[in-house]
Amino acid sequence: MTSSLASNTVFHMERGSAPHDVVKAKLALKPAPFKSNQIPLAFHRSSHTTGAPEKKKSNLVDRSEYFYSPYYLRKTGEKENMGSEGSEGGGGGCSRKPRFLCLHGFRTNGEIMRKQVGKWPESVLENFDMVYLDAPFPAQGKSEVEGIFDPPYYEWFQFNKEFSEYTNFDKCLEYIEDYMVKQGPFDGLVGFSQGAVISAGLPGLQAKGVALTKVPKIKFLIIIGGAKFKSPAVAEDAYSSPIQCPSLHFLGEMDFLKPYGLELLEHCADASVIHHPKGHTVPRLDEKGLETMMSFIDNIQKILAEKDQH
């Protein structure tokens, strides 16, 4: 699997119901070389407004200099604004939408996660400014979503069979921080599967000063099919104290990671939970789940409004 620009700039932007994403972690082969300036393209979604993506460029460009959205391709030097203007229906009086960086599952990509999250109703999505980032390393083995979602596929880092030893983990953290510096600020993280494990661990790593030292403090988390880090060295820093920022957790009754998601939940000081009957997937929101989500959004808007007033 190559990671050329051409393979990363052609994506299907159609909307629709996507099949469930079932991702089981497997032992990775030899990791691909990593260069800090080779940043895959990311997807920016501020609303469901219509618009066609810009046509593929025929000339090759340095991937680290460009930022891709469904609506335009432009240099990263032109920083994103803080977020789209918030809707009046939020109730919290926040003047902008909270901006979230979305980290996809193992051996998938940012566009796949955009489609997965796109199953949520517009009443939810309109309250967020979401950016979908591709992981730094091309998949080093078969993806469980082949035949369901189009390639290319990526992974955030590699690990052994026991999930206790990581390869390229430090490079993964540097890569995420570099992107957040260039395209931030971000208010929070949304993570699914391997992306959820990273997202849930980053606040603790940031508090210990071992990750995200150049960006503002993470204020909110949305964790879908998550778990704790298994590496003792990483876990010691990530969970030395409870996760203090408000977090929303999705727990699937058929998810093989549910027991580990419950362990993570116990470590969170301000957590809300959405239970769903599915497996390891980004689920649709039923009536109860939607109510919990909207309550979480109200809390975000209230916190940001209070912060803006000060």
Side-chain angles (χ1 to χ4, degrees):
M1 179 71 67
T2 62
S3 58
S4 66
L5 176 68
S7 67
N8 284 277
T9 53
V10 181
F11 291 93
H12 299 290
M13 304 307 297
E14 70 272 8
R15 188 167 303 284
S17 299
H20 294 313
D21 177 8
V22 180
V23 182
K24 295 184 178 179
K26 294 183 177 180
L27 177 64
L29 303 178
K30 183 178 179 180
F34 173 83
K35 295 182 180 180
S36 61
N37 68 340
Q38 294 178 338
I39 301 179
L41 304 176
F43 294 85
H44 173 238
R45 178 205 184 283
S46 59
S47 68
H48 276 300
T49 54
T50 58
E54 185 171 321
K55 292 182 179 180
K56 183 179 69 173
K57 302 293 184 181
S58 59
N59 58 316
L60 295 179
V61 297
D62 184 349
R63 297 168 70 190
S64 67
E65 294 183 357
Y66 283 82
F67 176 68
Y68 183 84
S69 86
Y71 311 119
Y72 48 81
L73 179 70
R74 59 175 173 73
K75 285 196 174 184
T76 55
E78 303 170 13
K79 272 199 171 185
E80 277 291 307
N81 56 26
M82 293 284 288
S84 304
E85 290 298 314
S87 62
E88 295 180 0
C94 182
S95 61
R96 62 181 176 84
K97 292 183 181 180
R99 199 151 187 260
F100 278 73
L101 182 62
C102 304
L103 308 184
H104 62 75
F106 186 63
R107 294 181 183 168
T108 66
N109 63 46
E111 166 63 355
I112 291 174
M113 188 172 180
R114 186 192 68 81
K115 291 182 177 181
Q116 294 168 321
V117 172
K119 295 182 289 185
W120 295 348
E122 182 66 22
S123 59
V124 169
L125 296 176
E126 68 184 4
N127 288 283
F128 295 107
D129 188 8
M130 293 184 173
V131 178
Y132 298 86
L133 176 64
D134 286 336
F137 302 102
Q140 300 301 299
K142 179 179 173 60
S143 170
E144 293 292 337
V145 301
E146 286 184 20
I148 302 175
F149 293 107
D150 292 334
Y153 309 119
Y154 300 98
E155 55 198 46
W156 295 99
F157 58 90
Q158 296 81 39
F159 40 83
N160 62 358
K161 292 181 179 180
E162 293 75 30
F163 308 101
S164 59
E165 295 180 3
Y166 301 155
T167 303
N168 289 319
F169 182 72
D170 289 341
K171 292 179 180 179
C172 169
L173 297 183
E174 292 171 3
Y175 168 83
I176 293 173
E177 180 174 47
D178 186 55
Y179 186 80
M180 293 179 78
V181 168
K182 291 179 178 179
Q183 294 301 326
F186 292 93
D187 297 296
L189 301 171
V190 180
F192 171 57
S193 193
Q194 189 182 36
V197 175
I198 297 171
S199 296
L202 278 174
L205 295 175
Q206 187 179 41
K208 290 283 288 187
V210 297
L212 305 188
T213 59
K214 302 175 183 178
V215 298
K217 182 179 178 181
I218 297 170
K219 295 186 283 291
F220 311 104
L221 294 174
I222 298 179
I223 305 300
I224 309 167
K228 283 186 172 184
F229 286 119
K230 291 294 185 181
S231 165
V234 177
E236 182 178 357
D237 286 329
Y239 315 118
S240 60
S241 60
I243 299 171
Q244 298 295 333
C245 62
S247 58
L248 177 63
H249 302 251
F250 285 74
L251 297 177
E253 290 302 315
M254 304 300 293
D255 190 348
F256 69 98
L257 282 183
K258 182 182 177 181
Y260 307 103
L262 289 171
E263 288 180 0
L264 173 63
L265 190 62
E266 293 176 355
H267 193 73
C268 299
D270 186 6
S272 301
V273 183
I274 291 179
H275 294 276
H276 64 90
K278 303 295 184 179
H280 196 58
T281 184
V282 179
R284 297 180 185 276
L285 294 171
D286 58 18
E287 185 176 352
K288 186 174 181 179
L290 180 58
E291 181 180 345
T292 302
M293 174 65 83
M294 297 309 293
S295 177
F296 184 70
I297 291 172
D298 286 343
N299 189 36
I300 290 176
Q301 292 174 333
K302 183 181 299 184
I303 291 173
L304 291 181
E306 292 175 352
K307 181 178 179 64
D308 289 344
Q309 289 175 1
H310 290 85

